[in-house]
Amino acid sequence: MKITELVPPDMAVVEADGISMEISLALVEDVSVGDYVIVHTGFALEALDIGEAEKTLEMLRDISKSDE
Amino acid sequence: MNGNILKKLREPELIRRLCDRLSKLDVPEKVKIMEVCGTHTMAIHRMGLPPLLPPHIRLLSGPGCPVCVTPGSYLDTAFEMAGEYGITLVTFGDMMRVPGSKDTLSLLRSRGYAVEVVYSPMAALELALENPGRDFVFLAVGFETTAPAVAATVIAARRKNAGNFSILCSHKLVIPALEVLVDDPEAAVDGFMLPGHVSAVLGSEPYRFIPDKYSRACVITGFEPYDIVHGIFMLLAQIESGEFSVEIQYSRGVRPQGNERARECMFEVFTPVDTVWRGFGTIPGSGLAVADDFAGFDAGVRYPVKTEPFPEPEGCRCGEVLRGIIEPPDCPLFEAVCAPGNPVGPCMVSSEGTCAAFYRYSRSFDTR
C-alpha cells in the first residue's frame, strides 16, 4: 500500500485500490510519503523495493516469452 | 510512477502467458512442493492453479494457518475467562467461528457476551483506552508476521498505562515446525514454497538448514498470482539442477537480513516456549509466551482458569491435513459433514484453512 500521509509520532495513512487506512510504522524505519509498504494487521512490515519489483517484472517477461 | 511497475506486474496478459508456460512444462519425475502459509493456500486455490499444473507436480498445503494449528483448548480457556471474570474478548475475525468444545466466539456473542472483532491489535488497545471501566483480553494468534505487531501493541499499552488491557498469547514460530516437517518421512517433499510476509520479518538465513542439511529446494514467495507461478518455476529449477538454496522470489518485499526492528520488538515482549500444535503435538521452542517483564499484560497470569483437555471431534482429520499427509477430499467428513456453513474442524473454519480453500475453489477438480 502507498503512504499518502505521515501522522507523527509513528502512524501513517496508506492507500491502495481506493481503500485508505491508518496504520502503525512502529516496526519500520525511514519511510516517507510516496513509499510502498507491506501492511499486515494494521502495521507496516517492510518497505517495498521498487527496483527489485522492476527486476521481477523483467524476469517474468523473460520466462513468459522463452521458447523451448 | 512507482505504482506503475506494480500495475504492470499484475497485467492479465502476463499471468496468462506465465500459466500457459507452466502448464506446458515437461517435468520428468514426480515433484512434491509444500507451501506453509495460509495466505499461499488461499491464493493458490483462488487463482485456480492446481488444475493448471503439469502432471508430476503436486502442491501440498502444510500447517500454515495459525488458526488451524491453535489447539481447541485455547478457545475453551478464553470462554472460561469471559465467563468467570466478565472480560471483553477481542479477536481477529477468523477466530469467530472456530469451535471450542461447546461454543464458538460467535455463539458467545449472540448470547450476550462481550466479543469484539478487530483487524489490528492496536484497535484492541484503543478499545481498552476508550473504555477504562472494562477489562479487555486480545486473542493473540498468528506467526511471525503478526507477533511483532502484537508486541508493539503491548509496548504501547505499557507506555499508555493501559491497565485494563492484556493478551492471551498463542503465537507460534514457523521454523521449528519446518524442522519437524522436513524431518518427517511421511510428508516427504522436494521443496518448500516459503511464506513471504513471515520472511519479510525473518529474512532468508533461518531457513538455511533446509537446503544445507536436508537437500530440499526453498523459495521465499510472494502472494500475487505472478509471484506464485514464479516461485514454482524457481523451485523446479533448483530441483532439476540438484543445487539447493534459499532463494528470494519476493525480493521486492524480503531482504536477506529481514526486519531486525520487528524481531527486536517481538523478542522484547515474548520468549520462545514449547507449545502444542494441533495435529503435531508439542514442538519444542515453537511458541511464544509473554516475557516476565510484561507479565501484567499476560491474560493467562491475570485471569487464571481451569481448562479441561479438548476432545478432538470424531472423524476429524485436520491433523493429517496440516501435515500434508492427506488432502481435504481424503477426509470422510469433507463436504458430506464438514463444510463452511457447518465446520467441524479448524481447517474448514479458518479463512485460510486448507479445507476451506479446497471447498471454495477446487472441489470440481481432481487434483491428485
Side-chain angles (χ1 to χ4, degrees), chain B residues 75 77-83 86-91 105 108 113-117 127 134-139 168:
Chain B
L75 279 154
T77 298
F79 301 151
E80 293 286 332
M81 281 182 187
I87 49 165
T88 300
L89 296 173
V90 190
T91 179
L105 287 163
L108 227 66
Y113 283 81
V115 179
E116 301 281 348
V117 175
L127 278 172
R134 287 158 59 189
D135 278 8
F136 292 79
V137 171
F138 178 69
L139 301 185
L168 186 60

Side-chain angles (χ1 to χ4, degrees), chain A residues 38-40 45-46, chain B residues 36-40 63-66 142-148 171-178 193-207 220-223 250 253-260 262-263 266-267 277 352:
Chain A
I38 298 171
V39 174
H40 185 79
L45 264 195
E46 186 57 272
Chain B
V36 290
C37 172
T39 313
H40 273 148
C65 161
F143 295 126
E144 290 98 324
T145 344
T146 313
H171 285 305
K172 292 182 168 49
L173 304 173
V174 162
I175 302 287
L178 282 170
M193 179 179 286
L194 294 173
H197 291 161
V198 164
S199 304
V201 173
L202 295 183
S204 55
E205 278 306 297
Y207 303 106
I220 294 170
T221 306
F223 302 106
Y250 190 29
V254 176
R255 326 246 173 293
Q257 68 274 25
N259 181 339
E260 197 179 323
R263 293 197 299 273
M266 185 167 60
F267 289 114
W277 290 53
E352 296 189 332

Side-chain angles (χ1 to χ4, degrees), chain B residues 9 30 43 46 97 153 156 161 166 189 196 203 252 254 256 269 307 316 335 351 360:
Chain B
L9 281 161
K30 283 193 176 158
R46 190 169 48 226
R97 295 192 317 123
T153 304
N161 285 313
S166 59
V189 296
R252 65 192 186 279
V254 176
V269 175
T307 309
C316 175
E335 247 185 297
S351 59
R360 290 198 165 94

Side-chain angles (χ1 to χ4, degrees), chain A residues 21 26-29 36 38 40-43 45-50 52-54 56-57 60 63-64 66 68, chain B residues 2-3 5-6 9 17 21 119-122 145-146 149 152-153 197 226 230 233 250-253 255 259 261:
Chain A
M21 54 196 267
L27 301 175
V28 293
E29 292 171 309
Y36 286 78
I38 298 171
H40 185 79
T41 62
F43 282 73
L45 264 195
E46 186 57 272
L48 283 187
D49 184 330
I50 295 297
E52 287 295 335
E54 282 169 349
T56 300
L57 182 58
L60 291 177
I63 291 174
S64 68
S66 49
E68 295 207 303
Chain B
N2 288 334
I5 301 293
L6 300 173
L9 281 161
R17 289 206 306 263
R21 286 234 65 232
Y119 161 71
S120 169
M122 274 299 190
T145 344
T146 313
T153 304
H197 291 161
Y226 58 81
H230 192 192
F233 275 115
Y250 190 29
S251 56
R252 65 192 186 279
R255 326 246 173 293
N259 181 339
R261 181 153 155 170

Side-chain angles (χ1 to χ4, degrees), chain B residues 11 22 55 62 68 119 153 169 175 200 228 266 288 292 312 332 334 336:
Chain B
E11 265 163 22
L22 178 62
C68 303
Y119 161 71
T153 304
C169 184
I175 302 287
I228 290 168
M266 185 167 60
L288 291 177
D292 290 342
E312 287 294 336
F334 180 75

